[in-house]
Amino acid sequence: MLKRAIQLTSMICVIMLSLLIFQYTSLVQQRLPLGTTNQFDLNLAETTIAKDKLVSDLNRLTDQYKAIVVKTSVDPENYDNKKDIIYFGTAKPAFHGLLIAHKEIKWFDSTLTGELLSAAEIGTRSLSGTYAFNGGKEFQEALKEWAQQHQIRILFVQEPSILTIVYAYLFQNGIGNAVLASLLLLVTTIITWIFQHAKARSIRLLGGVKAGKIHVEDTTTIVSFIFVGFLLGLFISLGYVGVVKDIRQIPLVFNRLILCLLLFLIVVGIITVLLSLIAGPKAAHIAKRQIPLKRFSIMGKLSHVLVMILSLIVIPTIITSLLITNQLSKEYSLWDKMQNVVRLSIIDLDSLEQEAVLPDVEDFFSKMQEANNLSLSLVIDKSISLESSEMGGYDHIIMTDRAWIDLLEIGVETEGKGGKLIAKNVKDLPYELSSFLEGQISLWTKHNDVYPAQGLTFYEYKGSKFLALPPNVGLAGETVQAENPLVLLIDGHLTDIVKTKGFLLSLASSGNIVFFDENHLQSALANSVMKPHITSINGIADVALETAQRFKQQYVYYIVAGMLIFVTMFLTGVLNGRLWAGTNVKRIFTLHTFGLSYASIVGPVLKRQLFTIIITTIVGSVIAYFIHYMELSILLSSALLVGILYWIGSYLSFKRSAKQAFYRTSHRYN
């Protein structure tokens, strides 16, 4: 039975470790594709240079210094399953570590598709973001100088050390947690095997077999069980790559996989030798007709502590992951509506705000709104710094229009799928918030002698999340998910209610005026006075969609790790119960013979066990907090859950072990 258990747990270890290697390979493909070795981040929020010119400059620098520069980008049309690579320069990079047929990319992550695109095909995708490159110091200096000249913020990413990577993958990763859980399960199973064979080991020593030979034979036996699981796990892992992904992907992971799995075998072999030595039979034990139960007890308690600490690292992450996944599932529907939403980047606002030009600018915005191709969304407290007292108890103050709330399916005085807006009397607003708005609204609106302005109504939001845009969303800013916002709703033509000069144009430049149909926008711009001042048209959802795509798979592995943790908890509980019963068999027999119940007999040891559980829970919670920095409420609830489950498991295990010990003694089986 234990032989099969060791084979099974070692196979699980190999499969989990293989999945970790596969994940690392997939991440490297996406972070550093096509022979690149480093990364840099670009932030174009402050530049006034046209997008075409910036692309041309990057192409020129790449060619001049014979560098490789690429950018992985989520396809806004299919953000769940498509990630493209955009390369700069005239020469297409060599296909290092990737399968590419024509333009189609065969990612190692079989859920992803993609294309290899030239910079000329970048379309509305943002130039801001992370780039991978392979170039010398001269290229980096030229890139820095170019960025400085064009008011572009650039940051070269420091590549992490090997130790940092190993730590992150094992402790801050769902599959890594599953690897640790399965390894701990394997070690516990090995301890159980050695414990089960302790009497046989003592008999062999009594029969004249040297202690060294016993250690070698038992270690060889256990490692042979592990090796069977190793081969099965390796076969399953490579079969998975060949069938689910592509048989041509096997060479991309084979060397790395074999190296890590051989290292795993060596580590487990060393652990097995150490466990065998610690619990080795001795003549003194034979003379007392005992097996070294105290040594086993120490190993059992150590295993007990380790599994509790690991459970407090994994279980809070599982809860957090499930909560985030639930939230992301709600936000997916919001971002699904934003796939084709674009924003403008505008230069030289002063020219567009000239009195001679303003009527044409207003006409452009008016026609876009009449064609249902324009909307306004502005998180006011992200564009103007406000004190907490000026927020009036709201988490955000948002100005928007009908098109935006229709997009989010939010009802006005009626319940919509996205929530409900309830009218708020301006006289009921706190004084400091009311004073702030009265001063600002007069600057923004055309009817500055009226407060609140004509066409502007105040609402409170009731619902899950109100998605709104801060300045520079899609370039440098992230979206806002408001829970308790004050909403200033513009109900009517924007150009009739708010000022174009100093407000509407500024919002268009900062990305707070968005457009739903790029083709219609392009057609309108072709004959507009605004055309010469537009530097780029960018999608607003790229960053959020890529984040959602990366997170999508992790929570599944955290659940797997949690399941393995609970199995290990069960096994360590059983092991510790049997070790205690084996050490106290005479006491158990005597006390139960004189009428004490099993619950009374195990009471004292359970009190000590409870103390150990409390101390270990505190230590494990502190370690978990510094690894993940999660919310204290989740950490405390997880600690309480782990402590209660472990104590209940210990009670049942110790009680059953006491009962079995009495039964064996009364029937003279010991």
Side-chain angles (χ1 to χ4, degrees):
M1 181 66 180
L2 280 174
K3 171 184 174 181
R4 300 298 181 201
I6 292 174
Q7 291 172 345
L8 178 62
T9 50
S10 60
M11 183 185 74
I12 292 171
C13 276
V14 169
I15 291 173
M16 291 296 112
L17 192 56
S18 299
L19 288 174
L20 191 65
I21 300 302
F22 298 160
Q23 187 187 56
Y24 176 75
T25 301
S26 180
L27 183 67
V28 169
Q29 277 190 344
Q30 295 174 43
R31 284 186 71 250
L32 299 170
L34 306 180
T36 54
T37 55
N38 297 92
Q39 291 182 311
F40 62 84
D41 288 325
L42 288 186
N43 185 329
L44 282 74
E46 299 173 3
T47 188
T48 58
I49 307 300
K51 185 176 182 179
D52 292 345
K53 175 67 166 58
L54 296 176
V55 171
S56 175
D57 286 349
L58 278 173
N59 286 336
R60 176 181 53 79
L61 287 171
T62 302
D63 289 340
Q64 181 179 345
Y65 291 93
K66 297 180 180 179
I68 301 173
V69 177
V70 299
K71 185 179 191 293
T72 55
S73 174
V74 172
D75 186 345
E77 297 288 337
N78 184 8
Y79 66 86
D80 256 350
N81 304 105
K82 195 164 187 284
K83 183 173 282 191
D84 302 325
I85 298 177
I86 300 166
Y87 68 89
F88 294 82
T90 54
K92 188 182 295 185
F95 303 151
H96 294 279
L98 268 176
L99 297 178
I100 301 179
H102 303 295
K103 290 175 62 174
E104 184 181 352
I105 300 172
K106 186 79 173 180
W107 292 104
F108 189 80
D109 183 348
S110 56
T111 63
L112 289 179
T113 61
E115 292 182 295
L116 182 64
L117 307 174
S118 70
E121 300 172 275
I122 195 169
T124 63
R125 304 186 204 203
S126 174
L127 275 179
S128 289
T130 303
Y131 293 71
F133 76 99
N134 189 344
K137 289 187 177 179
E138 291 183 357
F139 171 70
Q140 294 184 41
E141 291 301 321
L143 206 56
K144 286 180 185 177
E145 185 179 347
W146 167 78
Q148 188 175 8
Q149 289 174 352
H150 297 314
Q151 294 180 298
I152 297 170
R153 280 181 279 174
I154 186 170
L155 175 67
F156 287 91
V157 179
Q158 185 71 33
E159 288 302 306
S161 66
I162 294 295
L163 288 177
T164 303
I165 292 172
V166 171
Y167 171 81
Y169 267 84
L170 287 179
F171 291 97
Q172 297 178 326
N173 179 285
I175 303 179
N177 286 174
V179 168
L180 292 175
S182 58
L183 181 60
L184 190 53
L185 178 59
L186 176 59
V187 171
T188 305
T189 310
I190 293 170
I191 294 173
T192 306
W193 188 95
I194 296 173
F195 170 63
Q196 289 284 80
H197 291 77
K199 187 177 289 187
R201 285 155 64 92
S202 296
I203 292 171
R204 284 154 67 194
L205 183 66
L206 184 62
V209 181
K210 291 183 179 179
K213 188 176 181 181
I214 292 172
H215 294 310
V216 171
E217 288 176 349
D218 287 353
T219 300
T220 304
T221 300
I222 293 172
V223 170
S224 69
F225 299 158
I226 294 169
F227 191 70
V228 172
F230 170 89
L231 293 178
L232 286 171
L234 180 60
F235 177 76
I236 291 171
S237 300
L238 293 178
Y240 166 77
V241 175
V243 175
V244 176
K245 298 178 182 293
D246 190 312
I247 196 168
R248 294 173 297 169
Q249 301 274 20
I250 291 178
L252 299 180
V253 295
F254 187 78
N255 290 340
R256 188 180 288 135
L257 182 61
I258 292 297
L259 180 63
C260 288
L261 293 183
L262 287 175
L263 183 62
F264 159 77
L265 269 182
I266 293 169
V267 169
V268 174
I270 293 171
I271 291 172
T272 304
V273 171
L274 291 175
L275 293 175
S276 180
L277 289 171
I278 291 170
K282 290 186 177 180
H285 296 136
I286 295 172
K288 294 178 182 179
R289 297 188 178 185
Q290 293 178 347
I291 58 175
L293 287 174
K294 288 186 177 179
R295 296 185 183 184
F296 280 110
S297 182
I298 292 170
M299 290 191 292
K301 288 176 181 177
L302 181 60
S303 179
H304 157 87
V305 168
L306 289 176
V307 74
M308 282 198 69
I309 291 174
L310 187 57
S311 66
L312 287 166
I313 293 173
V314 174
I315 291 173
T317 314
I318 295 171
I319 296 172
T320 304
S321 299
L322 291 174
L323 292 174
I324 294 174
T325 302
N326 181 56
Q327 184 57 47
L328 283 177
S329 67
K330 296 176 182 177
E331 293 177 11
Y332 280 156
S333 60
L334 295 175
W335 284 117
D336 188 53
K337 300 179 181 72
M338 305 289 172
Q339 287 183 40
N340 301 313
V341 176
V342 295
R343 55 155 294 180
L344 300 174
S345 292
I346 305 174
I347 58 169
D348 195 11
L349 289 179
D350 292 340
S351 298
L352 290 174
E353 291 180 341
Q354 298 297 319
E355 294 299 325
V357 179
L358 270 177
D360 292 331
V361 173
E362 288 194 351
D363 185 58
F364 167 79
F365 285 123
S366 181
K367 286 180 178 177
M368 286 291 99
Q369 189 173 10
E370 288 172 1
N372 294 319
N373 193 32
L374 177 147
S375 186
L376 181 153
S377 178
L378 170 67
V379 182
I380 293 172
D381 52 284
K382 289 293 184 179
S383 60
I384 300 173
S385 179
L386 294 177
E387 299 291 336
S388 58
S389 59
E390 294 176 299
M391 294 294 293
Y394 297 101
D395 62 346
H396 292 288
I397 302 170
I398 297 168
M399 179 180 282
T400 188
D401 61 3
R402 282 273 180 176
W404 187 260
I405 63 171
D406 288 345
L407 180 70
L408 302 181
E409 299 182 90
I410 296 172
V412 178
E413 301 292 357
T414 59
E415 193 68 41
K417 289 183 179 180
K420 178 181 180 180
L421 293 181
I422 302 171
K424 178 74 174 178
N425 193 324
V426 67
K427 295 179 181 178
D428 295 334
L429 292 175
Y431 173 75
E432 290 191 44
L433 173 58
S434 183
S435 299
F436 165 75
L437 291 174
E438 186 173 359
Q440 288 298 320
I441 288 174
S442 64
L443 300 175
W444 298 335
T445 60
K446 289 188 173 180
H447 304 282
N448 52 23
D449 57 336
V450 180
Y451 174 72
Q454 295 178 18
L456 190 65
T457 312
F458 289 55
Y459 292 93
E460 290 182 340
Y461 171 71
K462 300 298 178 185
S464 177
K465 297 286 184 180
F466 191 111
L467 186 146
L469 308 180
N472 293 319
V473 68
L475 294 182
E478 297 179 352
T479 58
V480 165
Q481 306 281 340
E483 296 181 359
N484 177 37
L486 176 67
V487 179
L488 284 59
L489 182 65
I490 300 173
D491 200 355
H493 274 78
L494 293 178
T495 51
D496 293 337
I497 299 169
V498 297
K499 297 176 181 177
T500 304
K501 181 179 180 179
F503 187 69
L504 205 56
L505 269 171
S506 297
L507 295 189
S509 180
S510 63
N512 298 106
I513 298 288
V514 296
F515 304 87
F516 304 127
D517 187 334
E518 186 201 350
N519 292 329
H520 184 234
L521 174 64
Q522 293 277 19
S523 299
L525 284 173
N527 301 313
S528 169
V529 68
M530 296 183 64
K531 175 67 175 177
H533 304 276
I534 305 301
T535 59
S536 64
I537 299 174
N538 300 294
I540 68 167
D542 294 3
V543 176
L545 296 180
E546 189 164 358
T547 301
Q549 190 185 77
R550 283 200 308 268
F551 187 84
K552 187 180 176 183
Q553 298 172 338
Q554 278 299 308
Y555 79 98
V556 176
Y557 299 116
Y558 281 119
I559 292 174
V560 172
M563 293 170 63
L564 291 170
I565 282 290
F566 282 118
V567 172
T568 312
M569 270 188 180
F570 170 78
L571 189 58
T572 54
V574 171
L575 178 62
N576 281 308
R578 294 184 65 181
L579 287 169
W580 170 80
T583 308
N584 296 274
V585 63
K586 292 180 181 179
R587 182 173 177 272
I588 293 168
F589 180 79
T590 304
L591 291 175
H592 192 61
T593 301
F594 281 90
L596 264 71
S597 66
Y598 293 119
S600 299
I601 294 170
V602 301
V605 70
L606 283 176
K607 289 180 182 178
R608 294 194 296 272
Q609 190 82 348
L610 181 61
F611 177 76
T612 304
I613 288 172
I614 292 171
I615 297 299
T616 307
T617 300
I618 293 171
V619 173
S621 298
V622 171
I623 293 171
Y625 178 77
F626 283 106
I627 288 176
H628 291 295
Y629 294 99
M630 60 192 65
E631 292 184 19
L632 287 177
S633 59
I634 293 176
L635 188 58
L636 292 175
S637 59
S638 300
L640 187 63
L641 174 66
V642 169
I644 291 173
L645 287 177
Y646 216 106
W647 191 87
I648 292 173
S650 296
Y651 171 77
L652 295 174
S653 172
F654 277 71
K655 187 177 176 181
R656 180 176 175 78
S657 297
K659 187 175 182 179
Q660 288 177 338
F662 179 83
Y663 177 82
R664 292 180 66 84
T665 304
S666 62
H667 288 77
R668 300 179 183 273
Y669 289 160
N670 289 324

